[in-house]
Every structure is written in C-alpha cells, then in structure tokens.
Amino acid sequence: MIFDSLKNAWNVADLRKKIGYTLLMFLIFRIGAHIPIPFVNHEVLKNMLGTGGMFDFMDTLSGGSFKRLTVFALSITPYVTASIILQLLTIVIPSLERLSKEGDYGHKKITQYTRYCTVVLGFIQAFGLTFGIRSALMVPNSPWKWGIYFLVALVLTAGTAFLMWLGEAITENGVGNGISLIIFAGIVSRVPDALKYLYSLFTVHEINVFSLLGLAVIVVFIIAGVVYVQEGTRRVSVQYAKRVVGRRVYGGQSSHIPLKVNQAGVIPVIFAISLLAFPQTIATWMPTSGFARFVNTWFSMNGSVQSIPYLLVYAVLIIFFTYFYTAVTFNPVDVADNLKKYGGFIPGLRPGRPTAEYLSKILSRITLAGGIFLALIAILPTIVMGLTGLKNIYFGGTSLLIVVGVALETMKQIESQLMSRHYQGFMK
C-alpha cells in the first residue's frame, strides 16, 4: 500500500519534483550536521556531556549534531518552543486571538512573530549552552573570550534560523510538514549508530538474544499502537434538513463528523521534549551547583529509579499538550455554529450550544485516551531500559512515536495530492 502510493507519486511529475526537493533539503540538513563550530575541543566536550540523560536524546533529535557541537546543534527545538509560546499567547492576549482569526494575513503575522521569537530564544539557549561548556572552548583567558562566546552562540543561532527556513521551504515547496520532517530526518539518521551500538553490546555479551527480541517486540508494539491510535476516529452522526432554494432541494442526507482519538498527532511529544530540555540546559551553566546535581540525579531519563520524577513530569506534559493542541486546532463552538448555519444537527440534540457541549464532552474523553496512550508509549521504553539493562538506546518509544507519526501524516498528504490529481483527470 505505502510502496504503491510512493510509486504512483513518483510517476506524477509535480509530486516527483516535490519529493525530490524534500530529499535535497534533507541532504543539506545532513551536510550542515557535520560542519563543526570553531574553538571547540571535542575530546573535552565528549567527556563533559558524557552518556545518558537528556543530552543523548537531544543528540538523537539533532541527528548527532548536539554532541559534536556542529552548526545545527540546537536543531529546531527553539522554533518549537517559540510556537508553544505564541499559541499560549494567542489564547491569553485578545489582539493575538483576533489576529489568528484573520485568515491568511493573520497566519502570516503570527508566523512572523514566531520567527522573531525563535531567533531570540535560540540565542538565549545558544549562549547558555556556550557558557555552560566554556571549559571545552579553546579560548585564551582574556577579555576576548566573551567575544568568542558571543561568536559561537551567534553561529548556533544562525544554524537554528537556517533550519527554520529549511523547514518552511519544505512545507511550501515539498511534501509534509517541514519542521516535523527535519526532526524525523534527525532521528532516522541515528538508526545505523543505534544498531551498531546494539551489535557491540551483543558481541561483548552485555545483552543476550532475549533482550534483543524483547526490544524488537516493543518496537513492533509501538509502531502498531501508534498506527492504530492515529487512525482511530469517533464518528458523530449528523443529519441535514431539507432546504428549498429556488427550484432545487438541498440537504436531507446523513453524514458524520470524524473526531480523531489523537487529534494532536506527535506535536505534544515534541512540545514536552522542548520544555524538558530547559532544566538540562540551565544545569550546564552552573555544573557544580545544587540545582545541577538535582537535575542530573532526579530529572534524567536514565532508566533508573531516579528517573521516576522525570517520567511523571514528561507524561503530565504530554497529556497537557494533547489537550492544549486539540483545543487550538478544533473548536466545538465553531463546528456547532457551522452545522447550524448549513442546516445540520446531531440527532436528539438542539443546534447551537447543546451541540457544542456534546462535541466538547466527546472530544474531552477521546483526547484523554489519546494523551494517556502517547504518554505510555513515550515512557515505556525508559522503564524497559531499567529492567533489561539496555542503556542509551533512545531510538525507542518517543523516537518511534515521532517517526511513525510524521511518516503517517506525510503519506496522507501524498495520498491526498494523488487523489486530487486523479479527480482532476476524471473531470477532464
């Protein structure tokens, strides 16, 4: 099915051009992921960052750029954080809420604000990271060192800004959501290293065949579960009343409103990861402080008992952002008003407010199920790592969740574009 869709898409000249453009952007992303930043002693940096914890997962999201401290070390996380802030402000600030409802103009203005916020947050995070790893920078102990800190932070910020442009270019000229696809490409690029690491553990007898089989079963379970939940919908029956306009009769048919179990997709996971990266970043600024010791001991994803607070906060943030993003993307009041406007109603309910309350109630229940599922899938592999002894295998629950979710959404966009072209050919 998937291969047939890809084959059909490749046979369409327009789609072939879009897929080729997307692959070209992936190539540029991977080239940039290997361009090092000057003034960095990589041996000291490697010992400083070590293994385990959030740093390994951030390295996975950035496609290996974080621990090598290349120009794309910050990946696209500042953009994701800026998007969270702008969406929260859209709910809180009335002027931004009105702007978001002004169609294409409002969307462009909010996108512009998100870009500005990305650059500011990126520079703050870049300078914090630079200052935190200052002992790994080969700079003289003189007033000029602050200029070098500023230069390194500027290069990191420029890398994030370039990735933001790259993602928007993919969204506009390629296939799928560019920002999600960049994260997807970063995770997938780490698969060979993960497999190599597993093989090395197996050859030195640190893990056995049963551990590998258990990991394979978990991977299959996660993929099947993500596909099942992503495709799951709750269909709400809708009846349209008959209307006479001139000599024609409209309406009188039955339809349904498809409410997805996971309306937010993988966005809540990406949002939660972006927020959880902040404590680790702040801890690098003052590595000998009590805060840094607390974060490294009780707020890391190391598969031990100490990671329980991290897992709890991670799960709560995923559920919260599932509700939040669903509320942003689906408004029951607007749906109820549109149904009333076009003569539609849910059997047994009055149009207007009762319909909106009914839709909100259903959406709240299925969103809870979707959020709990996302949280369980995200934290389950970390628990399994603690039980099986597998360490630093972060191509697990969260990574697979993002990869499978992004792949599904991209394939849906390709299939929808194929279908539109088939319809055009039929009408011609």
Side-chain angles (χ1 to χ4, degrees):
M1 181 70 179
I2 294 177
F3 294 108
D4 289 340
S5 298
L6 288 174
K7 182 180 178 181
N8 293 333
W10 192 256
N11 291 331
V12 179
D14 187 27
L15 279 178
R16 183 168 62 246
K17 185 185 297 184
K18 289 186 175 183
I19 294 173
Y21 184 87
T22 303
L23 294 177
L24 178 62
M25 294 299 105
F26 282 172
L27 178 62
I28 295 173
F29 167 58
R30 293 311 302 156
I31 292 174
H34 290 84
I35 300 176
I37 291 177
F39 308 110
V40 179
N41 188 327
H42 291 280
E43 289 297 325
V44 176
L45 179 68
K46 183 178 179 181
N47 295 329
M48 181 180 296
L49 296 180
T51 59
M54 178 63 76
F55 289 148
D56 274 336
F57 192 72
M58 291 174 67
D59 191 55
T60 301
L61 289 182
S62 64
S65 299
F66 183 80
K67 286 194 173 182
R68 292 196 300 263
L69 205 66
T70 67
V71 293
F72 293 159
L74 294 183
S75 187
I76 204 68
T77 50
Y79 181 86
V80 177
T81 307
S83 300
I84 298 172
I85 293 173
L86 261 295
Q87 288 181 1
L88 286 171
L89 292 178
T90 301
I91 298 175
V92 175
I93 302 176
S95 58
L96 283 178
E97 185 179 3
R98 289 193 299 269
L99 189 63
S100 65
K101 296 179 180 179
E102 291 184 7
D104 189 52
Y105 171 78
H107 176 72
K108 287 182 179 179
K109 292 298 291 183
I110 290 180
T111 302
Q112 187 179 8
Y113 296 153
T114 305
R115 292 169 184 163
Y116 294 151
C117 189
T118 299
V119 173
V120 173
L121 288 176
F123 182 78
I124 294 173
Q125 190 172 350
F127 193 83
L129 177 63
T130 304
F131 186 76
I133 62 168
R134 60 190 180 276
S135 58
L137 298 179
M138 297 180 292
V139 296
N141 190 14
S142 67
W144 288 103
K145 65 182 180 180
W146 290 102
I148 294 177
Y149 295 163
F150 181 83
L151 177 62
V152 173
L154 203 60
V155 172
L156 289 171
T157 306
T160 295
F162 182 79
L163 282 182
M164 177 177 62
W165 173 84
L166 208 66
E168 292 179 352
I170 292 175
T171 303
E172 184 176 353
N173 303 313
V175 290
N177 183 292
I179 303 300
S180 299
L181 283 173
I182 286 176
I183 298 175
F184 170 89
I187 294 174
V188 171
S189 68
R190 303 297 290 166
V191 175
D193 290 336
L195 295 177
K196 182 180 177 182
Y197 178 72
L198 279 175
Y199 180 74
S200 65
L201 291 180
F202 180 74
T203 54
V204 297
H205 305 291
E206 288 193 20
I207 59 174
N208 53 35
V209 177
F210 296 104
S211 297
L212 292 176
L213 289 176
L215 186 62
V217 170
I218 292 172
V219 169
V220 173
F221 167 74
I222 291 173
I223 293 175
V226 171
V227 173
Y228 181 79
V229 173
Q230 288 288 93
E231 298 299 310
T233 57
R234 166 73 156 84
R235 296 187 175 187
V236 179
S237 299
V238 175
Q239 185 74 30
Y240 286 91
K242 291 184 179 180
R243 294 182 300 157
V244 179
V245 180
R247 294 184 179 181
R248 295 188 178 183
V249 178
Y250 295 91
Q253 74 270 16
S254 299
S255 183
H256 66 272
I257 302 174
L259 299 179
K260 296 185 67 175
V261 175
N262 184 19
Q263 192 87 14
V266 297
I267 298 297
V269 179
I270 299 174
F271 279 7
I273 291 169
S274 299
L275 285 187
L276 285 174
F278 271 104
Q280 291 280 358
T281 303
I282 296 173
T284 60
W285 302 353
M286 33 189 179
T288 59
S289 65
F291 176 77
R293 288 194 296 271
F294 172 79
V295 169
N296 294 328
T297 303
W298 296 100
F299 213 68
S300 61
M301 47 188 302
N302 52 19
S304 64
V305 177
Q306 283 80 7
S307 64
I308 291 178
Y310 165 83
L311 295 177
L312 291 176
V313 175
Y314 188 25
V316 170
L317 281 176
I318 289 175
I319 295 173
F320 168 76
F321 281 121
T322 302
Y323 271 100
F324 169 73
Y325 198 78
T326 301
V328 170
T329 56
F330 186 91
N331 191 338
V333 176
D334 291 342
V335 174
D337 290 341
N338 289 332
L339 283 176
K340 184 177 180 180
K341 179 180 178 181
Y342 293 104
F345 62 93
I346 298 175
L349 293 174
R350 294 175 57 188
R353 183 176 177 181
T355 299
E357 292 176 349
Y358 177 74
L359 291 175
S360 180
K361 183 179 179 181
I362 293 177
L363 194 64
S364 177
R365 291 178 177 178
I366 63 175
T367 300
L368 178 62
I372 291 176
F373 175 80
L374 288 179
L376 286 176
I377 292 297
I379 69 175
L380 180 62
T382 307
I383 298 174
V384 173
M385 281 194 299
L387 297 176
T388 61
L390 293 171
K391 301 295 182 183
N392 307 326
I393 304 297
Y394 292 106
F395 194 80
T398 305
S399 301
L400 279 173
L401 198 60
I402 295 173
V403 168
V404 176
V406 172
L408 280 175
E409 291 300 322
T410 305
M411 286 306 304
K412 284 182 180 179
Q413 289 197 24
I414 292 175
E415 289 177 355
S416 65
Q417 293 190 38
L418 278 173
M419 188 175 295
S420 66
R421 282 160 177 77
H422 290 162
Y423 279 140
Q424 289 176 0
F426 176 75
M427 295 184 70
K428 288 179 181 178

